[in-house]
C-alpha cells in the first residue's frame, strides 16, 4: 500500500463517518440472527464420512494415467550463480523421464503477487522461476527430476551435482537492521501512529515497562504437505492442488504460462490444513512446466524438507513495547516498534503492531514497524499474521505492567479497553471482551492465582497461572460469488469456488442456506472446491464464512425476486413485491401473512421449469471502514515448570472467545482448539533454525521443527460469548485465526507467575528457564 492508498482509505473512512449505517453492508441486521433454526446448533461435518473412509481425495491422491513423480534439488547457497550442472548420472538412473533445469525449462513469466485488489493472483514468491542461473535463496529449486516412481525421482535427484559461484548474501537479521525501511501502511492501516507526548507520559508514570520481545521464524507444517497433480490437455492446464486460493491460483498460472484464465482448471475439494501456506508457490509452476516438457501428467508432492525450502514461513520479529501508566493502571503511553523481514519478492508484512492499537486506549502512542530485506525465500502469512506475534509482545508487556503496579492483570486490561476504537474513534460493531474475561476467569478459577510469583510448588514443579488477550480483525472479501439452484423437488444446491481446509465450510454454509431458504438441512447440497464453480475470493484472513455468507445471501435475494416473477399472477403471492415476501417452509410466503404461500416445487411445476438458479456476489466490505470490527479472546493457562530440567508442561488452557455468533459449536470448538494448540507450539517449541552464515534452514524436518504432539496438549476448554454482531452476515465474525492469538503470552505470563522469570524470547525452551 502506498501513501496514495493511505490517503484514499483515510478519506473513505472519514466519509464513512457521515454515511448512515443503513446504506452500508451490515446496515440492516441480518434477519437470520434472530431466527434460530439450524445455525447455532451442533452439526457434524458433511464430509466426515468420506474423510474417515478415505474416499475424500486430496491433491496428492488423484490418479492419472501415465503419471510421473517429481523431486526437487535445492540450492545450497543463498546468493550467486550456478556454474556447473552435472546431470548425467541422474538422467541415466532407473525410471528417470527427464531432468528440468534453467537450461531446458519453458519460458515462464513472473507470478502475479497476492494483493488486496487482484483476486486472480496468488503468488507469494515473486521471482522468475528456473529462467536463469541466478540463485536468490538457500533452498531454491535448481533442478526438478521426473521419474516413474517417487523413489526413483528422489534417488536420481540425489545424484545431481551442482557447482556455484557464490556471492555475498545478507542472511543476518541483526546486520540488516541498519538498512531497514519503513512501509507507509500495513494492510489498510497507516504504519506510523504518533500521537501525544510519550516522553512526558514516561516522566510522570507511576508504573512502566520498556522491553524487547523476540519471536523466531516459523514454518508451515500442516498435516497435508503442499502438493499438486497436474496435466495438460492440449493448451488447457488441469491442476489438482492443495490451495486456499482456487481462482487466484488459476489466474496466476494463466499469467505465468501466457494463457487465458479459462484455460486453467484448478480443483481442490479438500485441503489438509493451510494456515496461509497454501497459495501459489514455485512447486505448482515447476510441476506444470515439467509436465509440459515431458508431455506427461506430473505429481509434485513436497517432502517435509522441500516444504521448508519452498514454502515461506512467518518472519522473525524483534519488538519493543513500552508502556506508561498512572497509579490506577490507565495507560498514558503505548509504544510498539520493531522489525520483521519482508524481502522485495515477498507479499506479506508481518504486521505485529496492529494488535495493541486496536485494543488499548492510551493518552499517547508511538507505533511504527520497520522492514528488513534479506536473501531468503519470501516470508508469508501464517495463522493470525501479525497478531500471533504482536499479541505475544503487547500482552507480555501488559502482564509486566500489571506486576509493576500490583494490579490484577485482567483488571489492568479491562481498565484500558475503550468504548470505541482507540485510534479511529469508530464504534465497535460488537465487542465484549469484559464478558469473555468473566466467563474465562470463572471457568478457569482465576481467583486461585497467587499474585506473587513462585508461590505454588509441588516437588520439583513450580506452578503458575497466566492470562492474555487475543485479537484478530474482521475481514470480509469482495468478489466471492455463489449460485443457488432449486430443483423441482425443492432441493437447493449452493455452488461456489470456496475452500474446505478442515474448518467445515460446506457443513456451515449448508446450515446457512437451509435457514436462509426455509429448507431442512437434507434439502440442501453445497458444492465447493473447483474453478468450474462461481468465482471465489479466498479462504484467508478468517474471512471465508462471511464472504461466502454474503454471496449466498445476495443470491437468495435475487432468487426470491426471480421466483416471484416466475410465480406470476395465478398464485397466492400475486401482487406482492420482493420486500413483502420471505422464504419459509420450502417456499415463499408473505411476511406476516403465512397463508399467502406457495412452495418452490409448485412454482416450478406451474412454470414447467425443472429448476431455477440465481447468482449473488459479496460486495465491497465498506462496513469495516465505518465500524471497528475485531474478534477477541481471553486466554488462560495453568502450567508447571520443572526446577530440575526447565521443562514447561501445560496442565490447563481455557479460551473464552468474543467472535459474534457461533454458527456451529462442533466445528467452531475444533477451530478454536486447533488454534490454541498452534499457540502452544509457538510458545514452547516451534522455531525454524537458520544457519546465519548462509541462510540455510537447519530444521527442515518434523524431527527438528517441533510441533506439539498429544502429550504436550493439556485439557482445553473453549467458551464463547455468542453475542451476534449486527453488522455481519449471520451475526458471525471470523474464528479461524483468533485461536492462536494471545496463547503464547498467556503461557509466558504463567511461566513468570510460576518461576518469577520473564522470558521475552520465544520459544520458551528449558535452557531459558534454568539458572538465574
Ligand atoms: Mo490465513 S494466515 O489468512 O490462512
Amino acid at each position: 500500500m502506498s501513501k496514495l492508498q493511505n490517503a484514499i482509505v483515510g478519506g473513505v473512512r472519514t466519509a464513512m463517518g457521515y454515511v448512515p449505517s443503513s446504506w452500508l453492508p451490515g446496515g440492516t441486521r441480518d434477519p437470520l440472527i434472530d431466527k434460530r433454526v439450524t445455525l447455532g446448533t451442533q452439526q457434524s461435518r458433511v464430509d466426515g464420512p468420506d474423510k474417515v473412509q478415505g474416499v475424500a481425495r486430496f491433491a496428492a491422491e488423484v490418479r492419472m494415467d501415465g503419471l510421473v513423480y517429481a523431486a526437487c534439488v535445492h540450492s545450497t547457497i543463498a546468493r550467486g550463480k550456478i556454474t556447473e550442472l552435472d546431470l548425467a548420472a541422474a538422467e541415466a538412473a532407473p525410471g528417470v523421464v527427464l531432468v528440468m533445469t534453467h537450461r531446458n525449462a519453458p519460458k515462464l513469466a513472473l507470478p502475479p503477487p497476492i494483493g488486496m485488489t487482484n483476486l486472480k493472483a496468488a503468488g507469494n514468491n515473486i521471482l522468475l522461476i528456473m529462467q536463469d542461473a541466478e540463485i536468490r535463496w538457500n533452498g531454491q529449486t535448481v533442478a526438478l527430476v521426473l521419474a516413474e516412481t517417487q523413489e526413483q525421482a528422489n534417488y536420481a535427484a540425489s545424484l545431481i551435482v551442482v557447482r556455484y559461484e557464490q556471492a555475498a548474501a545478507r542472511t543476518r537479521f541483526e546486520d540488516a537492521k541498519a538498512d531497514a525501511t519503513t512501509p507507509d501502511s500495513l494492510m489498510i492501516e497507516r504504519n506510523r501512529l504518533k500521537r501525544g507526548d510519550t516522553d512526558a507520559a514516561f516522566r510522570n508514570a507511576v508504573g512502566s515497562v520498556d522491553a524487547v520481545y523476540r519471536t523466531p521464524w516459523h514454518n508451515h507444517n500442516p498435516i497435508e504437505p503442499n502438493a499438486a497433480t497436474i496435466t495438460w490437455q492440449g493448451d488447457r492446464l488441469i491442476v489438482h492442488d492443495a490451495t486456499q486460493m482456487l481462482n487466484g491460483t488459476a489466474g496466476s498460472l494463466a499469467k505465468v504460462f501466457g494463457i487465458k484464465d479459462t484455460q486453467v482448471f484448478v480443483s481442490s475439494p479438500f485441503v489438509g490444513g493451510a494456515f496461509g501456506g497454501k497459495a501459489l508457490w514455485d512447486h505448482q509452476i515447476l510441476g506444470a512446466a515439467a509436465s509440459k516438457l515431458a508431455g506427461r501428467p506430473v505429481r509434485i508432492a513436497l517432502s517435509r524438507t522441500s516444504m521448508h525450502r519452498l514454502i515461506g514461513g512467518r518472519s522473525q520479529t524483534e519488538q519493543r513495547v513500552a508502556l506508561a501508566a498512572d497509579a490506577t493502571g490507565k495507560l498514558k503511553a503505548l509504544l510498539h516498534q520493531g522489525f520483521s523481514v519482508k524481502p522485495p519478492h515477498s507479499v506479506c508484512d508481518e504486521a505485529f503492531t496492529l494488535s495493541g492499537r486496536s485494543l488499548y486506549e492510551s493518552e499517547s502512542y508511538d507505533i511504527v514497524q520497520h522492514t528488513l530485506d534479506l536473501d531468503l525465500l519470501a516470508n508469508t502469512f501464517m495463522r493470525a499474521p501479525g497478531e500471533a506475534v504482536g499479541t505475544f509482545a503487547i500482552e507480555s508487556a501488559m502482564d509486566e505492567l500489571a506486576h509493576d503496579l500490583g494490579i490484577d492483570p485482567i483488571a489492568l486490561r479491562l481498565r484500558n479497553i475503550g468504548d470505541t476504537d482507540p485510534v479511529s474513534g469508530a464504534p465497535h460493531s460488537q465487542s465484549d471482551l469484559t464478558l469473555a474475561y468473566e466467563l474465562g476467569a470463572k471457568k478457569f478459577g482465576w481467583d486461585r492465582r497467587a499474585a506473587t510469583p513462585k508461590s505454588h510448588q509441588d516437588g520439583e514443579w513450580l506452578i503458575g497461572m497466566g492470562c492474555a488477550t487475543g485479537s484478530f480483525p474482521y475481514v470480509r472479501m469482495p468478489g466471492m460469488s455463489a449460485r443457488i439452484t432449486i430443483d423441482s423437488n425443492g432441493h437447493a444446491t449452493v455452488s461456489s469456488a470456496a475452500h474446505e481446509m478442515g474448518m467445515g465450510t460446506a457443513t456451515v454454509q449448508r446450515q446457512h442456506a437451509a435457514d436462509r431458504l426455509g429448507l431442512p438441512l437434507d434439502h440442501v447440497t453445497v458444492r465447493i472446491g473447483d474453478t468450474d464453480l462461481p468465482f471465489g475470493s479466498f479462504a484467508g484472513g478468517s474471512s471465508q464464512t462471511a464472504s461466502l455468507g454474503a454471496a449466498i445471501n445476495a443470491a437468495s435475494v435475487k432468487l426470491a425476486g426471480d421466483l416471484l416473477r416466475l410465480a406470476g399472477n395465478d398464485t397466492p403471492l400475486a401482487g406482492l413485491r420482493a420486500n413483502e415476501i420471505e422464504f419459509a417452509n420450502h417456499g415463499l410466503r408473505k411476511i406476516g401473512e403465512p397463508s399467502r404461500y406457495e412452495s418452490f416445487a409448485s412454482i416450478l411445476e406451474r412454470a414447467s421449469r425443472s429448476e431455477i438458479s440465481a447468482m449473488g456476489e459479496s460486495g465491497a466490505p465498506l462496513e469495516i471502514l465505518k465500524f471497528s470490527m475485531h474478534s477477541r479472546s481471553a486466554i488462560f493457562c495453568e502450567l508447571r515448570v520443572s526446577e530440575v530440567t526447565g521443562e514447561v508442561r501445560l496442565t490447563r488452557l481455557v479460551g473464552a472467545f468474543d467472535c459474534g455468533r457461533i454458527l456451529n459449536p462442533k466445528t467452531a470448538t475444533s477451530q478454536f482448539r486447533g488454534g490454541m494448540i498452534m499457540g502452544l507450539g509457538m510458545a514452547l517449541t516451534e522455531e525454524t533454525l537458520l544457519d546465519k552464515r548462509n541462510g540455510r534452514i537447519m530444521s527442515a524436518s518434523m524431527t527438528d521443527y517441533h510441533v506439539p504432539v498429544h502429550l504436550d496438549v493439556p485439557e482445553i476448554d473453549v467458551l464463547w460469548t455468542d453475542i451476534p454482531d449486527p453488522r455481519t452476515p449471520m451475526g458471525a465474525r471470523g474464528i479461524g485465526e483468533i485461536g492462536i492469538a494471545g496463547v503464547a503470552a498467556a503461557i509466558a505470563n504463567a511461566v513468570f507467575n510460576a518461576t518469577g522469570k520473564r522470558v521475552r524470547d520465544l520459544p520458551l525452551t528449558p535452557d531459558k528457564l534454568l539458572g538465574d
Side-chain angles (χ1 to χ4, degrees):
M1 293 278 282
S2 66
K3 283 200 170 111
L4 176 67
Q5 283 165 310
N6 258 345
I8 294 171
V9 169
V12 172
R13 204 169 251 160
T14 309
M16 283 300 145
Y18 299 105
V19 171
S21 308
S22 59
W23 293 9
L24 295 178
T28 340
R29 186 178 166 97
D30 186 341
L32 279 197
I33 291 174
D34 305 304
K35 203 188 270 180
R36 301 252 156 181
V37 192
T38 73
L39 283 174
T41 66
Q42 185 148 302
Q43 299 293 334
S44 293
R45 290 158 190 279
V46 290
D47 44 12
D50 280 355
K51 281 183 174 163
V52 296
Q53 291 176 89
V55 177
R57 283 274 167 269
F58 288 77
E61 299 174 324
V62 174
R63 296 200 180 105
M64 284 184 187
D65 288 338
L67 191 64
V68 290
Y69 297 79
C72 301
V73 179
H74 301 284
S75 77
T76 52
I77 65 162
R79 187 98 213 193
K81 273 189 168 48
I82 300 170
T83 54
E84 214 180 306
L85 271 166
D86 186 350
L87 311 177
E91 285 170 341
V96 170
V97 172
L98 67 77
V99 180
M100 185 173 80
T101 69
H102 69 278
R103 292 179 189 154
N104 62 344
K107 197 163 164 36
L108 304 167
L110 263 186
I114 295 173
M116 312 246 283
T117 49
N118 183 4
L119 295 173
K120 293 180 176 180
N124 273 284
N125 192 42
I126 312 306
L127 292 170
L128 286 171
I129 300 166
M130 247 184 214
Q131 299 296 293
D132 55 33
E134 197 78 22
I135 300 299
R136 303 294 300 273
W137 81 91
N138 197 324
Q140 176 179 331
T141 312
V142 292
L144 189 82
V145 179
L146 295 186
E148 300 292 345
T149 69
Q150 187 68 58
E151 292 71 19
Q152 289 172 330
N154 295 348
Y155 174 64
S158 76
L159 302 175
I160 290 174
V161 180
V162 189
R163 295 212 164 73
Y164 305 94
E165 183 185 300
Q166 282 205 51
R170 297 157 308 162
T171 51
R172 289 174 199 264
F173 191 94
E174 289 303 320
D175 298 350
K177 276 161 46 179
D179 299 320
T181 56
T182 309
D184 289 323
S185 50
L186 302 167
M187 317 297 279
I188 59 166
E189 304 296 336
R190 267 170 213 274
N191 178 16
R192 189 178 283 276
L193 170 65
K194 196 151 175 26
R195 203 179 267 183
D197 187 346
T198 52
D199 290 339
F202 279 97
R203 276 196 305 275
N204 302 325
V206 176
S208 67
V209 45
D210 187 347
V212 173
Y213 303 85
R214 293 188 173 82
T215 62
W217 284 94
H218 293 137
N219 267 86
H220 280 286
N221 278 287
I223 193 165
E224 175 207 31
N226 296 61
T229 304
I230 303 167
T231 190
W232 290 86
Q233 290 172 356
D235 58 4
R236 201 168 136 76
L237 177 60
I238 314 292
V239 182
H240 296 270
D241 196 11
T243 182
Q244 53 195 110
M245 295 194 180
L246 281 160
N247 285 100
T249 299
S252 304
L253 288 170
K255 281 269 182 313
V256 169
F257 287 92
I259 55 181
K260 296 198 191 78
D261 296 352
T262 49
Q263 289 170 264
V264 185
F265 170 73
V266 181
S267 166
S268 191
F270 302 106
V271 178
F275 311 112
K278 283 183 176 155
L280 186 81
W281 292 91
D282 290 12
H283 67 283
Q284 296 107 318
I285 296 170
L286 287 165
S291 171
K292 197 171 192 181
L293 208 56
R296 306 251 318 247
V298 166
R299 170 164 308 149
I300 183 158
L302 298 188
S303 64
R304 289 283 164 190
T305 299
S306 286
M307 276 186 69
H308 282 82
R309 308 260 179 262
L310 296 183
I311 310 297
R314 194 199 302 275
S315 165
Q316 180 179 350
T317 70
E318 180 186 296
Q319 306 174 49
R320 175 186 172 209
V321 178
L323 304 170
D326 67 14
T328 69
K330 275 302 275 179
L331 287 178
K332 299 292 173 183
L334 190 165
L335 273 70
H336 194 176
Q337 302 164 348
F339 302 89
S340 65
V341 179
K342 184 193 181 206
H345 53 276
S346 162
V347 297
C348 174
D349 284 299
E350 188 60 43
F352 55 82
T353 52
L354 295 184
S355 323
R357 60 169 142 183
S358 74
L359 261 175
Y360 299 123
E361 266 179 355
S362 171
E363 249 175 44
S364 66
Y365 292 97
D366 192 351
I367 299 180
V368 66
Q369 66 179 83
H370 310 289
T371 303
L372 309 185
D373 178 12
L374 291 176
D375 294 314
L376 298 174
L377 168 63
N379 63 298
T380 196
F381 311 94
M382 188 162 172
R383 202 173 202 165
E387 311 280 339
V389 290
T391 52
F392 169 65
I394 200 98
E395 289 301 296
S396 292
M398 286 297 276
D399 199 70
E400 298 197 43
L401 181 64
H403 183 73
D404 192 47
L405 285 166
I407 295 179
D408 177 80
I410 298 178
L412 178 70
R413 289 180 172 89
L414 298 183
R415 197 155 298 163
N416 287 290
I417 52 171
D419 294 333
T420 57
D421 188 277
V423 171
S424 72
H428 295 297
S429 56
Q430 178 275 321
S431 185
D432 204 338
L433 186 60
T434 307
L435 179 59
Y437 266 109
E438 268 172 34
L439 293 173
K442 185 154 176 271
K443 181 81 192 174
F444 180 78
W446 181 252
D447 54 357
R448 294 201 301 273
R449 171 183 176 270
T452 311
K454 220 174 166 178
S455 294
H456 288 307
Q457 186 151 9
D458 172 16
E460 72 178 76
W461 296 94
L462 303 172
I463 300 166
M465 293 181 174
C467 73
T469 305
S471 179
F472 197 78
Y474 171 78
V475 182
R476 185 174 66 74
M477 285 302 296
M480 181 69 101
S481 50
R483 181 172 52 233
I484 303 174
T485 302
I486 294 190
D487 69 18
S488 54
N489 297 319
H491 189 101
T493 302
V494 176
S495 324
S496 175
H499 310 79
E500 168 52 47
M501 320 190 297
M503 63 285 216
T505 308
T507 309
V508 169
Q509 296 294 349
R510 186 171 76 140
Q511 293 172 256
H512 172 209
D515 290 5
R516 187 74 70 188
L517 300 171
L519 290 170
L521 277 178
D522 63 4
H523 276 54
V524 181
T525 304
V526 176
R527 291 183 55 211
I528 55 172
D530 71 59
T531 56
D532 278 350
L533 301 168
F535 191 94
S537 36
F538 56 68
S542 304
S543 66
Q544 188 176 248
T545 302
S547 314
L548 186 50
I552 292 172
N553 184 28
S556 77
V557 170
K558 176 79 173 32
L559 183 72
D562 291 354
L563 277 165
L564 195 58
R565 265 189 298 283
L566 196 65
N569 291 321
D570 189 17
T571 168
L573 303 169
L576 295 177
R577 284 193 299 269
N579 61 3
E580 294 173 295
I581 53 163
E582 63 183 355
F583 290 102
N585 191 24
H586 304 253
L588 288 175
R589 71 179 180 199
K590 184 177 183 203
I591 296 169
E593 198 181 333
S595 60
R596 291 187 69 181
Y597 162 86
E598 187 169 12
S599 74
F600 301 135
S602 163
I603 295 171
L604 285 169
E605 195 187 331
R606 274 190 306 101
S608 304
R609 287 275 294 267
S610 60
E611 60 175 47
I612 183 169
S613 285
M615 289 278 293
E617 194 181 316
S618 63
L622 296 174
E623 69 278 25
I624 64 178
L625 297 176
K626 173 136 184 133
F627 300 100
S628 182
M629 303 180 77
H630 299 267
S631 282
R632 294 268 154 79
S633 68
I635 306 289
F636 296 82
C637 168
E638 182 191 70
L639 49 71
R640 302 154 75 88
V641 182
S642 166
E643 275 192 313
V644 179
T645 64
E647 182 187 11
V648 178
R649 303 302 299 181
L650 265 62
T651 45
R652 275 184 316 134
L653 263 182
V654 173
F657 294 88
D658 184 46
C659 303
R661 187 179 181 199
I662 296 303
L663 302 177
N664 180 341
K666 192 169 188 174
T667 51
T669 304
S670 171
Q671 289 242 60
F672 288 133
R673 186 176 283 138
M676 290 168 76
I677 292 170
M678 221 160 160
L680 188 169
M682 178 179 149
L684 297 184
T685 55
E686 286 195 49
E687 176 175 29
T688 299
L689 298 167
L690 282 160
D691 184 331
K692 289 182 182 137
R693 295 165 304 176
N694 56 24
R696 187 156 188 84
I697 292 179
M698 306 309 291
S699 50
S701 75
M702 296 209 62
T703 349
D704 298 303
Y705 186 94
H706 297 154
V707 300
V709 297
H710 280 293
L711 259 181
D712 297 318
V713 180
E715 186 85 24
I716 298 178
D717 280 305
V718 176
L719 322 164
W720 45 73
T721 59
D722 209 19
I723 303 168
D725 187 321
R727 307 297 174 186
T728 68
M730 301 166 275
R733 284 195 302 270
I735 62 168
E737 317 204 46
I738 179 84
I740 190 175
V743 176
I747 292 173
N749 296 342
V751 164
F752 176 75
N753 184 249
T755 65
K757 283 183 190 144
R758 177 63 63 178
V759 182
R760 302 186 182 92
D761 289 324
L762 291 183
L764 298 159
T765 44
D767 52 301
K768 294 171 188 164
L769 288 160
L770 288 176
D772 298 316

